[in-house]
Amino acid sequence: MLLSLLLLAWSGAASAQAPAAPALDICPDNMSAYSGSDEVVQCACSAEATQRGSVWGSNNYTADSATCRAALHAGAVRRQGGPVTVRMSGGLPRYIGTTRNGISSSNYGAYEATFRFDGDGAAPGQAAGGQATAASPASSGNEVCPDNLRAYAGSDEVVRCACPAEATQRGSVWGTDAYTADSSTCRAALHAGMVGRQGGPVVARMSSGLPRYIGTTRNGISSSNYPAYEATFRFEGERVAGSQAPAAAGSEACPDNMRAYAGSDEVIRCACPAEATQRGSVWGTDAYTADSGTCRAALHAGAVRRQGGPVSIRMLTGLPRYVGTTRNGIASTNYPAYEASFRFDGLEASGPQLCPDNMSAYAGSTEVLQCLCTGEAVMRSSSVWGSNSYTADSGTCRAARHAGVVPMTGGLVELEMLPGEARYPGTTRNGVTSANWQEYPAGFRFRGAQNVTAGAPVQAPVAAALRQQGHVALYITFRTNSADLDISAAPVLSQVRDAMQADPALQLRLVGHTDNQGGPNINVPLSQRRARSVQAWLVQNGVPAARLSADGRGQAEPIAENTSEAGRSLNRRVEAVRID
């Protein structure tokens, strides 16, 4: 028993005297003291030290980078810290910044000394839960892409790297296809369609700076305009399946707006994707402020349809005002003076222009305007306030009828803008009732003689009306109770043919309408035959039959009362309706 107790005592004493593993020193804040050496330093990072200091580089770090924060960035430790092995080496010509493991490092130029972590992190290749490093690349043998490519400015290098999924959602982007060197690399790659949201490998080629960078929205990413910048990058290779590329072969997608071209008289040819026609605000009509949504303005102007397409845009100087209207389902807004404008080539109309819906855009001026009121616009259910002088927001052509300067079938009007008045009294004149209104900041009145004698309905310019409103009433004559075209119909039908030849994508539905003479049993088939007569004339004159359809509604959809010959003449029409 005594021997056993002695043996146990000896064993415990021997155990207490066994040498402990040597404790590692705490890592220095940075490795600058080891500059110029190739030493290997083993030390320990505390949790607090992983959150302290600045870091320059990736995998290779400047010697003055915070040691333990660099270790977390590299994946050599986690946030709670731990032991690391740091290897010193000579300086490098550049250090590339990236974001890894919640730490953003920065770019830097040449520096005198470098360190990296042996093993590039915990085996295998990274600390548990850390992001991939150069020793364990993100995909296909590529290193993780830098946050931006500024470190390569001034070179023509080709950079091959891999974008992690989270990097495609981080940072700002300036430009389209060609990007400023400080744009977020992976977010630009998603914008360009080179990767999806899940990321992937990319190839970026550096080049010199450009005088401007154009912002667009693609693949859910909005890039911004930017003026001259010192360096540029572009991506090489194929876009990923399903990404949004330029909308037409050989044509880049249009900028979100034209502000980048302000101050120039350039002509820009580009393509509007369908989704861009529904995005952005628009100020003006025909001439638009440079910050208007480019493709939404194109739809408003009738330069494209909802499915988009190519456009030619001409930059203009600023205008003193921009007039808002509603066209093609898009409401543009009035705006005062703006520094630069644009319009779409190929949409210029000759002859009188259709009158604005109201004159609000001209408030504050003393301008005199001439414009055309169609019979349809005269009969439209617009509100009118005042008599002789009208509030600027009164329906222009309805007010013209109230004032007696056009008959119900329409005509050319001349009007002048006026300062606001203290009151606008309402009256009933020429079949139109205007309302009272108190003080209003601007008004207008009509010039010229009274004209209440109805003639033939005023024909709207066909191409302009189709482009602006999507439909036009064709006032063409047929023999009584017949679908045989009168020879006088040829000039209007020629306008339709010319509009369709000028726009090969234009398709029309022709809808015949009659007055109420004869009753529905006669008028419905008569209206159908008349629409088909117009269709047949167009086909005989070179319009493909596949671009036309014909129907008739008889007397069911009048636009004027049928109690006078003038009203009946407005109702006897063939509507040409654009099919989008």
Side-chain angles (χ1 to χ4, degrees):
M1 176 67 69
L2 180 60
L3 178 61
S4 298
L5 290 172
L6 290 172
L7 288 172
L8 285 172
W10 178 84
S11 175
S15 175
Q17 293 169 8
L24 292 174
D25 290 337
I26 296 297
C27 291
D29 288 351
N30 59 64
M31 304 302 295
S32 297
Y34 296 88
S35 294
S37 78
D38 59 359
E39 289 186 56
V40 176
V41 179
Q42 291 184 321
C43 57
C45 285
S46 66
E48 180 272 333
T50 65
Q51 303 302 307
R52 185 179 65 232
S54 299
V55 179
W56 294 272
S58 296
N59 304 327
N60 291 298
Y61 301 94
T62 62
D64 62 341
S65 293
T67 309
C68 292
R69 194 162 174 83
L72 178 56
H73 180 272
V77 296
R78 292 189 290 188
R79 288 182 179 270
Q80 66 268 32
V84 293
T85 300
V86 186
R87 185 175 298 274
M88 300 301 300
S89 61
L92 297 176
R94 74 164 64 93
Y95 296 81
I96 308 301
T98 61
T99 299
R100 295 179 184 172
N101 302 309
I103 304 297
S104 291
S105 67
S106 301
N107 297 323
Y108 203 80
Y111 195 77
E112 61 185 6
T114 306
F115 69 87
R116 64 180 297 136
F117 297 94
D118 269 9
D120 289 308
Q126 64 182 45
Q131 289 184 348
T133 68
S136 57
S139 69
S140 305
N142 292 327
E143 293 189 0
V144 173
C145 289
D147 289 356
N148 59 64
L149 293 166
R150 284 184 298 183
Y152 297 90
S155 79
D156 58 359
E157 290 187 54
V158 175
V159 181
R160 292 176 171 83
C161 57
C163 286
E166 61 87 23
T168 66
Q169 302 302 307
R170 185 179 66 234
S172 299
V173 180
W174 293 273
T176 297
D177 298 325
Y179 301 95
T180 62
D182 63 339
S183 293
S184 168
T185 310
C186 293
R187 195 162 173 84
L190 177 57
H191 180 272
M194 307 310 295
V195 297
R197 290 182 178 270
Q198 70 276 18
V202 295
V203 178
R205 183 176 294 274
M206 300 303 299
S207 60
S208 56
L210 298 176
R212 71 166 65 92
Y213 296 82
I214 308 302
T216 61
T217 299
R218 288 186 188 168
N219 303 307
I221 304 297
S222 291
S223 67
S224 301
N225 297 325
Y226 203 80
Y229 193 77
E230 61 180 331
T232 305
F233 66 89
R234 294 175 172 83
F235 295 100
E236 296 183 346
E238 296 295 322
R239 290 180 171 84
V240 297
S243 67
Q244 181 183 330
S251 180
E252 293 186 354
C254 290
D256 288 355
N257 59 64
M258 303 304 296
R259 284 184 299 182
Y261 296 90
S264 79
D265 59 358
E266 292 184 57
V267 176
I268 298 94
R269 292 173 176 84
C270 58
C272 285
E275 60 88 24
T277 66
Q278 302 303 307
R279 187 178 64 236
S281 299
V282 180
W283 293 273
T285 297
D286 297 327
Y288 302 93
T289 62
D291 62 341
S292 293
T294 308
C295 293
R296 194 162 174 85
L299 177 57
H300 181 272
V304 296
R305 311 258 168 70
R306 289 183 180 270
Q307 64 269 30
V311 293
S312 178
I313 304 168
R314 185 175 299 274
M315 296 303 299
L316 309 169
T317 57
L319 300 176
R321 75 171 56 84
Y322 297 82
V323 181
T325 59
T326 299
R327 293 182 179 174
N328 300 309
I330 304 296
S332 68
T333 306
N334 298 327
Y335 201 80
Y338 192 78
E339 61 180 333
S341 313
F342 66 91
R343 64 181 302 134
F344 297 95
D345 274 359
L347 303 183
E348 296 79 5
S350 59
Q353 303 297 301
L354 294 171
C355 289
D357 293 346
N358 59 65
M359 304 306 297
S360 296
Y362 296 88
S365 79
T366 58
E367 291 189 53
V368 176
L369 298 94
Q370 284 191 329
C371 57
L372 187 68
C373 283
T374 64
E376 184 273 332
V378 168
M379 302 306 296
R380 191 181 300 145
S381 297
S382 303
S383 297
V384 179
W385 293 273
S387 300
N388 301 325
S389 62
Y390 302 92
T391 61
D393 62 342
S394 294
T396 308
C397 293
R398 193 81 174 144
R401 172 64 176 155
H402 181 273
V405 294
V406 294
M408 66 187 302
T409 48
L412 189 67
V413 300
E414 183 176 67
L415 55 85
E416 63 177 320
M417 297 303 299
L418 303 170
E421 297 182 6
R423 69 175 59 85
Y424 294 83
T427 59
T428 299
R429 294 180 184 172
N430 302 308
V432 177
T433 298
S434 67
N436 295 322
W437 193 255
Q438 301 305 310
E439 184 177 7
Y440 196 79
F444 66 90
R445 68 183 172 198
F446 295 95
R447 290 180 169 185
Q450 296 284 296
N451 178 14
V452 294
T453 303
V458 171
Q459 176 64 56
V462 171
L466 283 172
R467 186 174 67 247
Q468 296 170 8
Q469 300 167 356
H471 63 91
V472 61
L474 306 176
Y475 287 105
I476 48 183
T477 52
F478 300 87
R479 295 178 184 175
T480 304
N481 294 324
S482 169
D484 294 337
L485 286 164
D486 189 273
I487 193 170
S488 63
V492 175
L493 294 178
S494 295
Q495 287 190 56
V496 181
R497 177 202 61 203
D498 293 347
M500 298 196 76
Q501 289 177 343
D503 182 358
L506 178 59
Q507 299 183 55
L508 295 178
R509 183 172 69 251
L510 303 166
V511 185
H513 300 271
T514 69
D515 59 29
N516 68 345
Q517 305 298 296
N521 292 338
I522 294 174
N523 288 330
V524 170
L526 176 62
S527 67
Q528 292 170 341
R529 293 198 306 275
R530 287 180 171 179
R532 287 196 291 268
S533 290
V534 172
Q535 181 185 34
W537 188 97
L538 292 169
V539 171
Q540 290 166 6
N541 285 270
V543 177
R547 296 171 61 191
L548 298 163
S549 62
D551 193 10
R553 307 288 172 78
Q555 64 193 59
E557 298 177 5
I559 59 171
E561 42 82 16
N562 276 301
T563 57
S564 68
E565 176 51 33
R568 290 192 291 271
S569 70
L570 287 169
N571 292 330
R572 294 191 296 268
R573 68 204 190 277
V574 174
E575 288 277 349
V577 182
R578 191 179 70 206
I579 301 173
D580 286 326

